[in-house]
Amino acid sequence: MNAIRRIWVPIAVAVCFAAIQLAFSSSFDGVRERSFDIYQRLMPRDLPLDQVAVVAIDDESLAKHGRWPWTRAQVGEVVEQISRSGAAAIGLDLLFPEMDASDNGPASDAAFADALSRSPSVLAMTLTKDGAPLELEQQAGFSFIGDGSPPVERGYPGGLAPIAAFTQAASGLGVIRSFADDDGRMRAIPLLWADEPAPGTLRYWPAFSIEMLRVAQAETSVTARIFNAQDDALKVGAVIVPLADGRLRLVDVPATPLNISAASLLADGPQKALENRIVVLAVDAAGVDRYHLTARGNLRLGADLHAIAVSQMLNSFYLIRIKDPVEMEMGLFAALALLMLAGFVMLGRNPLMATGFAALICFVPLAFGLWFYADRGVLLDASQPTLGLLLAGLSGGYALYREAERKRVSLQRQFSQFLSPEVVRQLAESEGVAALEVEDRVITIMLLDIRSFTAMGEEYGAQKMVDVVNHFFAIASDEIFKRGGT
């Protein structure tokens, strides 16, 4: 009965928490994402960035060669220098939806198209809900294996794309659009997109990073294995990219990709450092750059995120949600809650020790989560089990405290008039068991009497005799209790 009294409160709390978690699991997605952010803050991962680079049209470039936008011929000259540097692919994180409006526009566009045609170039496009239909051909072919439904960003009737002369000259065309989460952080990028040139007809487009990877390997198509299973993936040449939910979760590495100013290329010519790298060309100047808040709370240039995504794919470096995440979280919570309840039962006579044990249990989900993240790149949310265990632990500790207080008060009320405070304390701590234990001990017995007690009884009345006896007991008990007697 005592054991049941100790644990019924934490059992009720644990059951209620589990029911709430199951009923409103999707409502906790934001909490889960923040717990994954904590993993990256506590244990940031090192990702090799030696196969990517960023060429920035920065403030120095604009100071030397004029304000943005540049003419297409100027951009083409930068592309030409990157190509001569031996880049494996050049992704232009820029949009060219209109012809050059400068005085020498047609010639400038022609020079740019020529530079694109003589380099492994990838142009950027985007899909929008209110965009005009896209009248252009795909650069990458797609083949699908399996009978599942591809996890793509769909429902876009049109978008914004480079003019036809540029798309025909470039080697690739990829979607640069991405979505921040509700808290404004960019944690993942979609890998597959689709527009609807006609009702019910989907046309697939690769993400910008996927297209750069394809061009760098001189591949003509992308293969998608779709069975709506955990091991769904994209195959781009020799690289296999997990496609579980259609997004690549970004590793927010502390390092930044190699960054070279466009001004340096235009002044000094080809750069040996760019050889065999996948290069992203972007604007990084005050007022025209695009920065994103990342998982670790950093602000990073969009081109950096594209380069990091490519590096993850080249190094097979992924962060993937654990299979059946809700079931795993609930299983971990249930197992640890049972262990915590067992601790309350076995350690219930010592509320402080039981509460300390429960506190240690609360940290186990975080330890598991960090281990899965650091060792396997698998994301297991620790926040839900930890919160549930914390609530169960607090309620269990409080229940033990209340029970201990109830017993202490009861024992004090029963024995404090007859036993020393030390003996009463021992009885309270042992839940009264000490009173039933047999112990061999050398003791001293002192017999006390009141001189002339019989004569006093004949002389005094009953009430006065009671007062005298009580006064004597008060003096004697105080002295006896001071010396540990009873």
Side-chain angles (χ1 to χ4, degrees):
M1 182 63 69
N2 286 340
I4 295 176
R5 188 182 296 121
R6 292 186 193 122
I7 64 174
W8 76 266
V9 174
I11 287 177
V13 170
V15 170
C16 290
F17 179 83
I20 292 172
Q21 188 179 20
L22 288 174
F24 303 99
S25 176
S26 60
S27 301
F28 294 103
D29 286 344
V31 177
R32 292 187 177 96
E33 291 297 338
R34 288 171 177 79
S35 72
F36 301 151
D37 294 346
I38 292 174
Y39 296 159
Q40 298 212 56
R41 290 194 195 100
L42 293 177
M43 302 179 67
R45 305 294 296 272
D46 291 324
L47 172 67
L49 298 174
D50 55 343
Q51 300 181 75
V52 297
V54 173
V55 171
I57 302 174
D58 52 12
D59 291 318
E60 179 187 357
S61 304
L62 298 183
K64 289 183 178 180
H65 300 278
R67 65 183 184 181
W68 187 258
W70 284 356
T71 65
R72 303 293 163 73
Q74 286 177 290
V75 178
E77 187 176 352
V78 177
V79 172
E80 186 76 26
Q81 295 300 334
I82 298 173
S83 181
R84 290 177 181 175
S85 299
I90 308 168
L92 283 75
D93 188 12
L94 307 164
L95 290 171
F96 303 100
E98 299 173 346
M99 298 180 67
D100 193 330
S102 65
D103 294 338
N104 197 25
S108 182
D109 284 339
F112 181 50
D114 183 59
L116 293 175
S117 66
R118 290 187 285 108
S119 64
S121 56
V122 176
L123 294 178
M125 61 175 287
T126 186
L127 299 179
T128 60
K129 295 288 187 182
D130 54 357
L134 297 174
E135 298 180 0
L136 72 165
E137 296 296 327
Q138 299 161 289
Q139 297 281 21
F142 278 91
S143 58
F144 293 91
I145 300 173
D147 55 1
S149 176
V152 299
E153 290 292 333
R154 66 179 71 194
Y156 298 96
L160 201 62
I163 61 176
F166 299 157
T167 58
Q168 293 168 6
S171 302
L173 188 61
V175 178
I176 59 170
R177 186 174 181 181
S178 55
F179 303 104
D181 292 340
D182 291 340
D183 60 357
R185 295 178 187 263
M186 185 71 68
R187 296 184 175 92
I189 58 173
L191 296 174
L192 282 179
W193 296 78
D195 68 337
E196 296 187 34
T201 302
L202 293 181
R203 182 170 53 175
Y204 296 99
W205 301 95
F208 189 58
S209 53
I210 291 287
E211 189 71 339
M212 286 191 290
L213 195 60
R214 179 188 69 82
V215 171
Q217 298 178 91
E219 294 289 333
T220 59
S221 64
V222 175
T223 301
R225 182 179 62 200
I226 308 294
F227 291 95
N228 291 340
Q230 186 75 10
D231 58 351
D232 286 353
L234 286 179
K235 187 174 185 298
V236 188
V239 178
I240 296 178
V241 185
L243 196 63
D245 64 351
R247 304 190 308 160
L248 174 70
R249 187 178 292 272
L250 295 169
V251 177
D252 193 2
V253 294
T256 56
L258 172 68
N259 189 297
I260 294 178
S261 172
S264 185
L265 277 168
L266 293 174
D268 304 327
Q271 302 282 327
K272 182 70 174 178
L274 298 178
E275 187 174 3
N276 296 322
R277 292 182 184 247
I278 295 177
V279 179
V280 182
L281 174 61
V283 178
D284 182 12
V288 291
D289 48 14
R290 294 185 299 126
Y291 277 79
H292 304 276
L293 185 64
T294 59
R296 295 174 58 236
N298 301 316
L299 284 173
R300 307 194 79 145
L301 185 67
D304 285 355
L305 299 183
H306 292 307
I308 289 171
V310 171
S311 290
Q312 287 185 234
M313 292 184 277
L314 287 172
N315 291 281
S316 298
F317 202 97
Y318 304 112
L319 295 177
I320 302 173
R321 286 287 303 275
I322 197 167
K323 186 177 181 181
D324 301 322
V326 176
E327 290 80 357
M328 288 295 296
E329 292 165 14
M330 289 299 302
L332 180 62
F333 169 67
L336 293 175
L338 288 175
L339 183 60
M340 180 182 289
L341 294 174
F344 283 139
V345 171
M346 293 185 292
L347 303 174
R349 293 180 180 177
N350 190 328
L352 185 61
M353 185 177 294
T355 303
F357 178 75
L360 289 176
I361 294 294
C362 290
F363 286 98
V364 172
L366 178 60
F368 266 104
L370 285 172
W371 179 75
F372 273 107
Y373 160 75
D375 188 68
R376 304 184 179 186
V378 174
L379 298 175
L380 171 66
D381 176 30
S383 64
Q384 312 293 320
T386 299
L387 178 59
L389 292 170
L390 183 62
L391 293 174
L394 289 174
S395 62
Y398 180 72
L400 290 180
Y401 168 76
R402 293 292 299 171
E403 182 183 0
E405 280 294 294
R406 181 186 62 80
K407 290 180 178 179
R408 184 184 65 80
V409 171
S410 176
L411 287 170
Q412 281 187 335
R413 186 171 57 250
Q414 295 175 25
F415 296 105
S416 60
Q417 298 181 28
F418 311 105
L419 302 175
S420 69
E422 177 63 22
V423 174
V424 173
R425 184 187 64 79
Q426 293 178 8
L427 288 173
E429 290 180 351
S430 66
E431 298 183 354
V433 175
L436 305 177
E437 294 179 347
V438 177
E439 180 181 352
D440 291 331
R441 179 183 292 187
V442 177
I443 64 174
T444 299
I445 298 176
M446 182 173 65
L447 302 177
L448 300 177
D449 191 12
I450 299 177
R451 181 181 300 173
S452 303
F453 184 75
T454 302
M456 291 172 59
E458 293 175 351
E459 181 180 352
Y460 300 149
Q463 182 59 50
K464 187 170 183 179
M465 284 301 299
V466 170
D467 293 341
V468 170
V469 171
N470 286 340
H471 179 66
F472 168 76
F473 282 155
I475 296 173
S477 298
D478 185 57
E479 294 298 324
I480 291 171
F481 291 165
K482 284 181 181 178
R483 293 162 175 76
T486 186

